[in-house]
Amino acid sequence: MDSILIMFAVFIFLLFIKVPIAFSLGVSALVYLVLEGIPFNIVAEKMYAGMDSFTMVCIPSFILAGNLMNTGGITKRIVAFCNVFVGHVRGALAYINILASVLFAGISGTALADVASLGSMLIPAMEDEGYDTDFAVAITASTSVVGPIIPPSVPMVIAGTLTNLSIAKLFVGGILPGILLGIGFILPTYIISKRRNYPKHQKVDFAKKIAIIKDVIWALLMPVILMVGILSGIFTPTEASIVTVLYAFIVGIFVYREIKIKDIKNIFKETIIASGSVIILVGIANLFAWILTSQRVPQTIASGILGITDNKIMVILIMNIVLLFTGMFMESIAAIIIMIPVLLPVATQVGMDPIHFSIMAILNLMIGLVTPPVGLCLTTAAQIGKIPTGKAIKANTPFLIVLGIVLLLVSYVPSITTLLPSLMK
């Protein structure tokens, strides 16, 4: 146990001095192996075991699909489509930001993809129309949390792989929480837009509406094909990721004709870099998780929590606090790999459905992406808007309240996450 404590101390120290999370996990794991006299060949074995999963093919495929969408003009058409319905409302671009995040989430699967693509487009556009930059940054960052909740979702792929849960059921279980988030963000947006008298666009005439809808139909069909295929059993989530890539490729080249041959090299280059960093992190985190499991850390934590109370309401509250705290400091994928296997036994002992727990845990850790001190999505959006992170944090407070309310609903109303999966075969 002394070696475990030293490993955690090294890990926390490395995080504190801002060493990248993958290296922090790897170095602290190596320190443990040295202290325990465990041969280093276990490193390659456990890293490979973490990465050697057919389901992991989803990750580079969904990342590639997101890159193809951005280059292929799908993202900007989704924004134009949203403008048809809410463009005439005060604070139109803010509502477009919310709607686009909900629609875009169904394809990209990652929060950072949402911030990088929609943020680079909408934050400057909102500034040009007179919106406060901190508000534009805050709403873009917070709505990006919807990405990993509404399917497809890279974090859900990893969680399902770790726990042997149905990824299709995890995907479907995230639909209602994602919709709740989208609806919840509307209230603070409405209040702030009215108070600050943000602009609205003119109504789009009928002929232009029809033209925009015709143009966007190919983009909107993508998430429909994806979910119908998964729900009907036509293809698995892994196969769905390949279908998404092929669809985005065909639409971008042959329908919208915005992907050029010269773009393909950069698209694949960006995908390889992003996918490689995620998969290496998964491998290193698997080594770290193996150490925790071999030392029965999950059982110790479970016993500790249940030793405090076996009341289900209080246990869920404690798990939420632990997950939120973890999400504030740790990269979300690494946190999923480490925390879900640790806390799942606690959840099942108090009668939580594993699908319910997994989605609750992912939502907690995604909220960490917009919560200081790390807040990766919030800091990325602040960089796009060129404002201090502290200013973005203050502007983000109303949206954090919405995230907290939805988290409580997801935590204590299990049917929000289990109703739709229960309808599946």
Side-chain angles (χ1 to χ4, degrees):
M1 189 56 71
D2 288 343
S3 299
I4 286 286
L5 294 175
I6 293 171
M7 180 182 77
F8 272 110
V10 171
F11 176 61
I12 292 167
F13 172 73
L14 292 173
L15 283 182
F16 181 75
I17 62 173
K18 297 185 179 179
V19 174
I21 183 71
F23 294 107
S24 299
L25 287 168
V27 170
S28 55
L30 288 176
V31 167
Y32 172 84
L33 296 180
V34 169
L35 292 173
E36 291 293 312
I38 299 173
F40 276 15
N41 59 4
I42 199 73
V43 174
E45 180 185 329
K46 295 304 174 185
M47 283 185 63
Y48 181 77
M51 297 183 286
D52 183 28
S53 168
F54 179 67
T55 310
M56 294 290 285
V57 174
C58 286
I59 295 174
S61 298
F62 283 133
I63 292 173
L64 176 57
N67 288 335
L68 287 168
M69 283 172 49
N70 292 335
T71 309
I74 292 176
T75 305
K76 69 180 182 182
R77 283 173 172 83
I78 288 174
V79 172
F81 173 73
C82 295
N83 187 49
V84 168
F85 294 96
V86 297
H88 61 283
V89 179
R90 187 164 303 284
L93 273 179
Y95 293 109
I96 289 170
N97 204 323
I98 297 170
L99 281 173
S101 290
V102 171
L103 292 171
F104 188 65
I107 310 163
S108 70
T110 58
L112 272 178
D114 198 336
V115 169
S117 55
L118 293 177
S120 59
M121 184 188 311
L122 287 174
I123 291 174
M126 291 176 76
E127 287 177 309
D128 290 342
E129 289 200 9
Y131 291 80
D132 297 297
T133 304
D134 57 349
F135 172 75
V137 164
I139 193 169
T140 302
S142 291
T143 55
S144 71
V145 172
V146 177
I149 304 302
I150 292 182
S153 163
V154 171
M156 286 184 188
V157 171
I158 293 171
T161 305
L162 286 170
T163 57
N164 293 318
L165 292 173
S166 165
I167 293 172
K169 288 188 175 182
L170 283 171
F171 277 5
V172 175
I175 293 174
L176 291 181
I179 292 172
L180 279 176
L181 286 172
I183 294 170
F185 289 136
I186 290 173
L187 180 59
T189 300
Y190 173 80
I191 294 170
I192 293 170
S193 297
K194 284 285 188 183
R195 186 178 298 165
R196 300 183 184 179
N197 199 32
Y198 285 146
K200 57 183 177 180
H201 300 162
Q202 290 184 340
K203 283 191 176 183
V204 179
D205 62 68
F206 183 76
K208 191 172 182 181
K209 281 183 180 179
I210 296 300
I212 291 173
I213 291 170
K214 283 182 178 178
D215 189 42
V216 81
I217 193 70
W218 292 100
L220 294 179
L221 275 175
M222 186 185 289
V224 173
I225 292 170
L226 192 71
M227 289 314 302
V228 169
I230 292 173
L231 290 174
S232 62
I234 295 173
F235 40 70
T236 66
T238 304
E239 292 164 344
S241 67
I242 306 299
V243 171
T244 305
V245 168
L246 290 173
Y247 187 90
F249 191 78
I250 291 168
V251 170
I253 289 181
F254 299 108
V255 179
Y256 294 147
R257 299 181 181 179
E258 293 200 19
I259 296 179
K260 311 300 180 187
I261 297 299
K262 64 180 181 180
D263 297 325
I264 294 175
K265 179 182 177 181
N266 283 335
I267 290 171
F268 277 94
K269 181 181 176 182
E270 290 174 11
T271 301
I272 290 167
I273 292 170
S275 303
S277 62
V278 171
I279 291 172
I280 289 171
L281 175 57
V282 169
I284 294 173
N286 189 65
L287 170 65
F288 196 89
W290 170 79
I291 293 171
L292 298 181
T293 304
S294 66
Q295 291 298 308
R296 298 182 59 81
V297 172
Q299 291 85 346
T300 303
I301 291 174
S303 299
I305 292 175
L306 295 173
I308 298 171
T309 177
D310 59 0
N311 180 281
K312 184 176 180 178
I313 293 173
M314 292 305 299
V315 169
I316 291 174
L317 179 62
I318 292 170
M319 288 193 295
N320 274 320
I321 292 169
V322 170
L323 288 163
L324 277 172
F325 184 77
T326 303
M328 289 179 189
F329 293 94
M330 191 179 292
E331 198 279 333
S332 57
I333 291 175
I336 286 167
I337 294 169
I338 293 170
M339 297 307 299
I340 287 184
V342 166
L343 292 177
L344 182 58
V346 183
T348 53
Q349 283 190 52
V350 295
M352 284 187 77
D353 182 276
I355 296 287
H356 173 209
F357 164 75
S358 298
I359 294 172
M360 181 192 81
I362 291 169
L363 178 56
N364 267 290
L365 297 171
M366 293 308 110
I367 291 173
L369 291 172
V370 291
T371 308
V374 179
L376 193 56
C377 283
L378 193 60
T379 54
T380 301
Q383 286 170 1
I384 294 171
K386 298 177 182 177
I387 63 169
T389 304
K391 193 174 180 181
I393 291 169
K394 184 178 179 181
N396 195 46
T397 303
F399 301 105
L400 271 180
I401 292 170
V402 171
L403 286 166
I405 291 170
V406 173
L407 175 60
L408 287 173
L409 288 172
V410 168
S411 300
Y412 292 108
V413 186
S415 57
I416 292 174
T417 55
T418 58
L419 175 62
L420 294 182
S422 69
L423 301 177
M424 296 176 66
K425 294 180 180 179

